[in-house]
Amino acid sequence: MALRNTISGRISGRGRRSMSSWWGSVEPAPKDPILGVTEAFLADPSPHKVNVGVGAYRDDNGKPVVLQCVREAERRIAGHSNMEYLPMGGSVKMIEETLKLAYGENSELIKDKRIAAVQSLSGTGACRLFADFQKRFRPDSQIYIPVPTWSNHHNIWRDAQVPQRTFHYYHPESKGLDFAGMMDDIRNAPSGSFFLLHACAHNPTGVDPSEEQWKEISYQFKVKGHFPFFDMAYQGFASGDPERDAKSIRIFLEDGHLIGIAQSYAKNMGLYGQRVGCLSVLCEDEKQAVAVKSQLQQLARPMYSNPPVHGALIVSTILGDPDLKKLWLKEVKVMADRIIGMRTALRENLEKLGSPLLWEHITKQIGMFCYSGMTPEQVDRLTDEFHIYMTRNGRISMAGVTTGNVGYLANAIHEVTKSA
Ligand code: KET
């Protein structure tokens, strides 16, 4: 008895010691530069607070929006679908419709079955799956990422253990595209490099190449044999028309590139939390596409097995019905137009206040974001003194600006920038 007590005492003592040492070396992770802003916003009790951090669309009352086409699709789905597993590669019907949006309604590439595509956990999951695929099959490759870019791109390729290089993109003085710098970097990268391109509505800058510039970029990629990977998280949010926003991709397709695309329905269908998207890789022929798809599935299986079913069903219900698709296109345009309207309003408010700075770029930039040019210190003042929350790179999510808060926002921006 005594002995047993001693042993059990020793075991539990040792147990305690090792238990407390399991995670003793784990330090708290740094806050995410985008999602951390939402956390701080939620914790602020001020009734005046404004969140223009995360890129999530709000209506003019600042409320999250569920599109009418989504409500209708949900109504049709309710009670009619089972909840069985999807295949590892996801919903075939959803993927079919999704490829049409990127590659074109009547694309020969789709007919020829040259595209390896799987349903992904939204745009993030598509990027991550591609990064893992790149690492597995091109283990010595690197990825060229624009400066600046969506902060999570760095995390994604880092965690996939693909080394990162950068290329020039934004020109801070002109607040436009550094086209010459970008072209130089494309020319100087080793032949056959991987490049990450934002298909439209570049995050965070709101600056896209023109059609002519895309053609030159595509040409230079051809000369160098580079691989373009398009992140298309905002199809429809640049021009209000998903077809027009796919122009960059279509230019590359016309030039005969083999490409990869990450598509997301988070923004353009407002399905943020449903996590529905698509990763596609254009291959040389059907046989190659079959092999690539099987390997993408092989990557997915031990990670999450197969993707969630509900969001995919919403998407395929909408895009598979001509009337619902028409309604969706109308609603995308309404969202894009409201944002464009808020750009004008913010700029006009700042100019009316007599701001000594130029704010032309607010209306020139496109998509969800305004890359304001404010410094991290100015952003800190906006948060501390005015309860306005945005990322410290000065990015304003125009999707969070409303008729009700635009005056307050402009006034605060004026206060922190007027002596700069
Ligand atoms: N790519 C880009 C360029 C992008 O801005 C986002 C999201 C994504 C992919 C991923 O979206 P998903 O929800 O996985 O489909 N950007 C916003 C939200 C976030 O950071 O997660 C943002 O920049 O605020």
Side-chain angles (χ1 to χ4, degrees):
M1 196 66 186
L3 181 65
R4 216 181 297 152
N5 272 350
T6 323
I7 291 172
S8 73
R10 266 212 308 267
I11 289 173
S12 63
R14 199 184 301 143
R16 252 201 311 280
R17 261 200 309 283
S18 56
M19 249 187 287
S20 65
S21 71
W22 283 130
W23 315 118
S25 64
V26 178
E27 300 286 339
K31 281 216 182 307
D32 184 82
I34 298 172
L35 301 184
V37 171
T38 306
E39 284 173 30
F41 169 80
L42 291 173
D44 184 341
S46 166
H48 307 295
K49 65 182 178 176
V50 174
N51 187 5
V52 284
V54 70
Y57 184 77
R58 299 284 178 263
D59 66 14
D60 202 40
N61 297 312
K63 296 275 176 282
V65 172
V66 177
L67 299 184
Q68 283 307 307
C69 60
V70 170
R71 287 284 189 229
E72 175 57 22
E74 287 206 298
R75 202 187 55 75
R76 293 186 192 179
I77 292 163
H80 292 287
S81 61
N82 63 50
M83 297 188 189
E84 289 284 293
Y85 294 129
L86 283 175
M88 282 179 282
S91 155
V92 174
K93 200 160 165 242
M94 188 282 289
I95 291 169
E96 202 178 293
E97 294 297 339
T98 303
L99 293 182
K100 285 191 214 161
L101 291 180
Y103 295 81
E105 182 79 30
N106 300 308
S107 166
E108 290 295 324
L109 305 166
I110 298 177
K111 283 187 202 124
D112 294 344
K113 300 190 165 60
R114 282 180 54 194
I115 307 166
V118 296
Q119 182 182 330
S120 60
L121 305 187
S122 213
T124 308
C127 288
R128 180 57 196 271
L129 203 56
F130 181 78
D132 283 341
F133 178 73
Q134 183 188 344
K135 181 67 189 175
R136 182 164 290 181
F137 293 97
R138 306 293 299 202
D140 299 325
S141 65
Q142 306 173 327
I143 182 90
Y144 280 79
I145 290 181
V147 180
T149 194
W150 179 46
S151 51
N152 209 23
H153 282 145
H154 295 289
N155 306 330
I156 289 169
W157 270 269
R158 177 200 65 212
D159 278 9
Q161 296 174 19
V162 175
Q164 295 173 38
R165 306 293 297 270
T166 56
F167 67 90
H168 285 87
Y169 189 83
Y170 182 72
H171 197 269
E173 275 79 58
S174 70
K175 295 194 168 61
L177 184 68
D178 181 0
F179 186 61
M182 180 177 179
M183 291 303 282
D184 275 346
D185 290 342
I186 293 168
R187 267 189 291 268
N188 293 332
S191 296
S193 293
F194 286 80
F195 273 74
L196 171 76
L197 300 169
H198 295 230
C200 62
H202 182 274
N203 176 10
T205 65
V207 172
D208 285 351
S210 68
E211 225 176 288
E212 276 316 304
Q213 287 169 330
W214 275 122
K215 285 181 182 159
E216 286 189 48
I217 294 166
S218 172
Y219 174 78
Q220 199 53 47
F221 266 60
K222 206 72 212 237
V223 170
K224 295 288 303 192
H226 293 328
F227 186 91
F229 182 73
F230 288 95
D231 183 356
M232 183 156 60
Y234 299 92
Q235 188 177 11
F237 264 97
S239 68
D241 174 9
E243 188 60 24
R244 255 177 83 187
D245 286 0
K247 190 68 198 173
S248 56
I249 288 175
R250 305 292 169 76
I251 287 169
F252 272 71
L253 293 178
E254 274 163 34
D255 286 347
H257 289 278
L258 298 178
I259 67 173
I261 311 179
Q263 287 172 262
S264 165
Y265 288 106
K267 328 275 174 164
N268 62 9
M269 235 176 241
L271 295 176
Y272 303 90
Q274 293 292 350
R275 314 307 297 146
V276 52
C278 178
L279 167 65
S280 62
V281 179
L282 173 59
C283 299
E284 278 153 28
D285 52 32
E286 183 179 354
K287 185 162 164 265
Q288 196 178 80
V290 169
V292 169
K293 181 173 177 184
S294 72
Q295 292 292 351
L296 294 174
Q297 294 182 162
Q298 184 97 329
L299 281 163
R301 174 64 168 149
M303 231 185 321
Y304 55 85
S305 192
N306 45 71
V309 69
H310 188 67
L313 205 49
I314 294 173
V315 172
S316 57
T317 304
I318 292 169
L319 297 181
D321 178 294
D323 290 335
L324 279 187
K325 184 170 176 186
K326 214 188 274 168
L327 177 58
W328 172 60
L329 291 171
K330 210 171 97 192
E331 293 190 279
V332 173
K333 176 118 178 54
V334 168
M335 291 193 284
D337 284 350
R338 195 188 80 72
I339 291 177
I340 291 167
M342 284 303 122
R343 287 184 184 280
T344 309
L346 181 59
R347 179 179 165 185
E348 281 177 1
N349 271 277
L350 280 160
E351 287 168 353
K352 251 190 262 150
L353 287 163
S355 173
L357 303 176
L358 288 174
W359 296 103
E360 202 189 357
H361 56 285
I362 299 181
T363 48
K364 262 194 176 161
Q365 295 167 349
I366 53 176
M368 262 200 186
F369 304 108
C370 161
Y371 203 47
S372 68
M374 280 187 287
T375 63
E377 293 70 31
Q378 290 168 338
V379 172
D380 290 345
R381 276 193 65 198
L382 283 181
T383 305
D384 297 343
E385 296 171 30
F386 298 94
H387 306 273
I388 293 168
Y389 290 81
M390 67 174 78
T391 53
R392 291 190 80 231
N393 61 3
R395 183 188 85 166
I396 301 168
S397 175
M398 295 305 300
V401 183
T402 65
T403 313
N405 68 25
V406 68
Y408 179 73
L409 179 65
N411 183 59
I413 292 174
H414 179 54
E415 284 303 316
V416 304
T417 56
K418 63 185 178 190
S419 58

